[in-house]
Amino acid sequence: MNKRWAIRERPDNEDVKKLADELTIDTVLSTLLIQRGIKNYEDARYFFRPDLRHLHDPFLMADMEKAIERIDIAIANGEKILIYGDYDVDGTTSVALVYSFFNKIYPHIEYYIPDRYREGYGISTQGIDYAAENSFSLVIALDCGIKSVDKIAYANTCGVDFIICDHHLPGNELPDAIAVLDPKRKDCDYPYKELSGCGIGFKLIQAYAEKNDISFEDVSCYLDLVAISIACDIVQISGENRVLAYFGLQKINSDPCIGVKTLMEVAGRGTNYTISDVVFLLGPRINAAGRIDDAKHAVELLIACHEDAAKEKGLLINVKNTERKGHDLSITDEALSMIDNDVIMINRKSTVVFNENWHKGVIGIVASRLTEKYYRPTIVLTRSNGHVAGSARSVLGYDLYEALCECKDLLIQFGGHKYAAGLTLHPENVNAFIDRFEEVVSATITDEQLIQQITIDAELELKQIEPKFFRVLNQFAPFGPENMSPVFISRNVYVSGYAGLVGENHLKMAVMQEGSGAFECIAFNQGIYLPDVSNKKPFDICYSIEENIWRERRTIQLNVKGIKFRD
């Protein structure tokens, strides 16, 4: 599929040169910093030298005093406390973090993860009933609850107090809980708004530790869980999140908790994890527990205190992940076949596929794969509890949530945001919904939005990629939303030495530019270009720069995102 190349606007030349001189770095690097909002030496020092002292005071968060006061009362009175969380990576890491911290200092504590299929997302009536029937007078809800106005009202009638720790956008009314911790509350002055659900849990235990004279080391030991949540929930890696992710990755790579260490071992990689590695190696395994079986297995692994117990859970989760992959690949193949054999579907500007036998736990992954293939707003539907459930994904710049709002009369419920959503509808409305969604998308999406975009940060000559440049560039990590690995464009490069295919369809080559040495390149799924690059004609590439480690040999490698020929 052809992709659009969009080059970011270059900042003011004087600003670029001034910052480059201040930091004694290449102007390309100062350009990248200014694009990230870093405009002076002090900003750069904060960016390049993350420090746990940069973390904000947790008591700046609205209701934090109330939350800590209620926990103190519960512990003083010997009340039973229930830690409640969602079944995805952010939810299970949140529960593992808060449960592990309090379990070390207080015995009357348990955790609860709602069943993905019987209870669905968020605080459930069944969960509240479980708390009431088992004499839990305080529930700490993590990564959910900000819109559970009715559920919290019900909990109040049952004598169950709630502290809500959420990071999703609130509705017009806040739940009537003892405390609602959410930086996105309009009345919350907390300086950083983009924490993960586990990040909110971390701020809760940080506040409790400060109030009760507990060492910060007894809090920071859970940063590996926070980093996993930040990576897998795709939250911004800026500000406070960048500090948490930086030190969380350090812990993953040097001293992970027993559960995370076991997870790394079953994933087949013991160290040198980046944010991307966490997303692709650890995240799917944690998620697989809740998609295929029970998310409690993931929590049991992450809170494990003994290696034998952790290994047992780790192997189980790995089996579930293999099972998840099987469902994922077979459903993706079925969906691709449905689309490719239907002329009407091929020519639509949206993709909606439905099979009542598909596994609900993987339809979100399938929707993502179909979006990658056809690059248009996509919904995958299956039967669930007598209804039809769907998972939706969008493309850059297109507001999926707004499109679903135009179809709301055909839906039982829906929720999500601009790029991802979930929905439920009656089976008899499926065909009408498919037609309406296509009608809405066709009327509101631009032709440009239907072509995948590669955003290029700066133009670079290959000879500029020298050791100091690469060393400074590495300090931009950890990479993620709002701090993506920079993408460069180099023009008029040509193959030097060799070009060939590796794997199924990956182009491996060495390229150079006039005045530069040769650089090794990998271009995933771009084998189609082999005949053209082999003829020694010049071409342009856009790429990110990475370190390739092969049998302890470290080399700079260009990860090529796109190739364009001069003619």
Side-chain angles (χ1 to χ4, degrees):
M1 178 190 288
N2 286 328
K3 297 179 181 179
R4 285 186 291 132
W5 293 18
I7 302 177
R8 285 189 198 276
E9 191 176 332
R10 183 179 162 86
D12 180 81
N13 276 336
E14 283 188 24
D15 293 340
V16 168
K17 189 170 186 317
K18 182 172 179 285
L19 186 60
D21 290 343
E22 269 188 68
L23 302 176
T24 62
I25 57 173
D26 191 293
T27 53
V28 171
L29 293 169
S30 63
T31 296
L32 299 176
L33 289 171
I34 291 171
Q35 287 170 344
R36 285 158 173 73
I38 296 153
K39 297 179 180 176
N40 54 51
Y41 181 88
E42 192 56 34
D43 290 345
R45 190 172 67 83
Y46 189 97
F47 180 77
F48 284 127
R49 300 286 180 268
D51 192 314
L52 288 169
R53 288 173 296 183
H54 294 161
L55 297 179
H56 300 302
D57 177 356
F59 288 101
L60 294 174
M61 199 175 291
D63 280 3
M64 186 62 84
E65 291 274 6
K66 293 179 186 175
I68 301 306
E69 185 181 337
R70 181 64 185 90
I71 294 169
D72 279 337
I73 290 169
I75 290 175
N77 293 338
E79 296 177 51
K80 289 178 73 177
I81 302 174
L82 187 66
I83 312 298
Y84 187 111
D86 189 25
Y87 39 70
D88 68 1
V89 176
D90 196 12
T92 50
T93 52
S94 301
V95 168
L97 178 146
V98 175
Y99 174 84
S100 296
F101 174 81
F102 282 110
N103 191 46
K104 283 183 178 177
I105 57 176
Y106 186 65
H108 307 304
I109 186 164
E110 290 181 24
Y111 61 87
Y112 185 97
I113 306 284
D115 184 273
R116 184 184 206 109
Y117 303 105
R118 290 196 307 273
E119 297 171 68
Y121 166 77
I123 296 169
S124 67
T125 304
Q126 296 97 310
I128 295 166
D129 289 343
Y130 175 87
E133 289 161 10
N134 291 278
S135 304
F136 289 97
S137 50
L138 176 61
V139 178
I140 300 174
L142 298 148
D143 191 34
C144 60
I146 195 63
K147 290 187 176 177
S148 300
V149 175
D150 294 344
K151 296 292 194 301
I152 298 304
Y154 173 65
N156 290 337
T157 67
C158 299
V160 177
D161 288 345
F162 265 79
I163 293 169
I164 290 171
C165 305
D166 204 350
H167 67 129
H168 297 100
L169 201 62
N172 294 326
E173 182 184 354
L174 291 177
D176 185 21
I178 293 293
V180 178
L181 307 179
D182 188 336
K184 293 190 175 81
R185 281 176 58 167
K186 287 179 183 174
D187 62 342
C188 183
D189 294 329
Y190 193 73
Y192 188 72
K193 304 295 183 183
E194 304 303 328
L195 292 168
S196 64
C198 189
I200 309 287
F202 180 84
K203 301 309 290 188
L204 179 75
I205 67 169
Q206 184 189 356
Y208 184 87
E210 280 184 24
K211 181 84 179 293
N212 290 277
D213 295 323
I214 295 171
S215 160
F216 183 69
E217 283 70 34
D218 291 329
V219 175
S220 62
C221 63
Y222 300 109
L223 282 172
D224 47 358
L225 298 176
V226 181
I228 292 169
S229 80
I230 288 170
C232 297
D233 218 53
I234 322 294
V235 293
Q236 293 183 15
I237 300 191
S238 61
E240 190 169 34
N241 272 350
R242 190 164 180 275
V243 177
L244 293 167
Y246 179 88
F247 287 100
L249 274 177
Q250 274 193 0
K251 187 157 196 321
I252 287 170
N253 286 315
S254 63
D255 182 31
C257 70
I258 290 172
V260 172
K261 182 183 177 189
T262 302
L263 199 60
M264 292 160 71
E265 287 168 356
V266 298
R269 270 276 299 282
T271 187
N272 292 323
Y273 273 73
T274 63
I275 288 290
S276 181
D277 294 326
V278 171
V279 171
F280 291 107
L281 293 175
L282 304 187
R285 287 172 167 80
I286 296 172
N287 261 333
R291 290 185 190 281
I292 302 300
D293 189 359
D294 190 333
K296 286 176 185 165
H297 294 309
V299 177
E300 286 166 0
L301 170 65
L302 295 173
I303 66 173
C305 296
H306 303 288
E307 289 194 5
D308 288 347
K311 191 166 186 180
E312 182 185 335
K313 286 296 171 188
L315 292 171
L316 173 64
I317 280 175
N318 212 38
V319 168
K320 295 301 172 188
N321 188 51
T322 303
E323 194 178 328
R324 185 272 307 165
K325 280 185 192 169
H327 287 299
D328 162 12
L329 294 173
S330 65
I331 293 171
T332 300
D333 286 344
E334 284 179 43
L336 290 172
S337 178
M338 285 169 68
I339 298 163
D340 290 341
N341 292 313
D342 187 323
V343 176
I344 293 173
M345 289 182 78
I346 287 173
N347 291 314
R348 288 188 158 185
K349 293 189 175 179
S350 69
T351 299
V352 185
V353 287
F354 171 53
N355 183 317
E356 62 180 26
N357 298 314
W358 285 342
H359 196 294
K360 185 187 173 191
V362 300
I363 58 174
I365 300 169
V366 175
S368 295
R369 291 188 189 281
L370 297 183
T371 307
E372 285 173 22
K373 168 81 174 173
Y374 298 103
Y375 206 70
R376 57 198 189 193
T378 298
I379 301 176
V380 179
L381 301 169
T382 188
R383 284 295 285 260
S384 176
N385 294 330
H387 294 135
V388 171
S391 195
R393 298 291 183 270
S394 194
V395 296
L396 185 67
Y398 187 74
D399 196 326
L400 178 74
Y401 187 83
E402 286 297 317
L404 290 175
C405 286
E406 296 297 315
C407 308
K408 64 184 177 184
D409 57 303
L410 297 170
L411 302 173
I412 298 171
Q413 62 181 29
F414 67 100
H417 52 79
K418 186 172 182 176
Y419 293 118
L423 57 145
T424 311
L425 64 161
H426 293 294
E428 59 269 24
N429 286 339
V430 168
N431 289 333
F433 171 73
I434 291 172
D435 291 340
R436 174 83 66 79
F437 186 70
E438 168 64 16
E439 186 183 309
V440 171
V441 172
S442 294
T444 53
I445 201 164
T446 65
D447 289 340
E448 197 175 58
Q449 286 170 331
L450 290 166
I451 303 171
Q452 195 165 356
Q453 175 177 300
I454 300 172
T455 302
I456 297 165
D457 296 280
E459 187 162 344
L460 188 66
E461 292 187 17
L462 294 182
K463 66 185 179 185
Q464 290 174 269
I465 308 172
E466 39 79 43
K468 181 184 176 184
F469 182 95
F470 186 61
R471 216 167 40 245
V472 176
L473 190 65
N474 273 345
Q475 292 176 48
F476 279 61
F479 297 118
E482 298 301 307
N483 185 40
M484 300 299 286
S485 179
V487 176
F488 303 101
I489 182 171
S490 292
R491 304 184 192 275
N492 284 319
V493 306
Y494 53 90
V495 165
S496 166
Y498 70 92
L501 294 183
V502 293
E504 288 185 18
N505 187 35
H506 311 314
L507 177 60
K508 183 91 172 164
M509 58 185 173
V511 303
M512 61 191 304
Q513 205 176 29
E514 190 173 334
S516 83
F519 286 86
E520 293 180 7
C521 299
I522 183 72
F524 292 108
N525 298 309
Q526 296 178 68
I528 189 173
Y529 293 121
L530 178 60
D532 295 310
V533 301
S534 298
N535 65 15
K536 302 295 183 183
K537 286 184 180 176
F539 52 94
D540 300 345
I541 55 172
C542 60
Y543 56 91
S544 57
I545 306 171
E546 58 192 25
E547 188 173 51
N548 184 39
I549 303 170
W550 174 249
R551 292 180 179 170
E552 299 186 6
R553 177 176 170 255
R554 293 171 180 264
T555 55
I556 292 176
Q557 176 175 270
L558 310 185
N559 186 330
V560 176
K561 313 293 182 183
I563 297 171
K564 279 190 179 176
F565 293 91
R566 304 300 292 174
D567 55 359

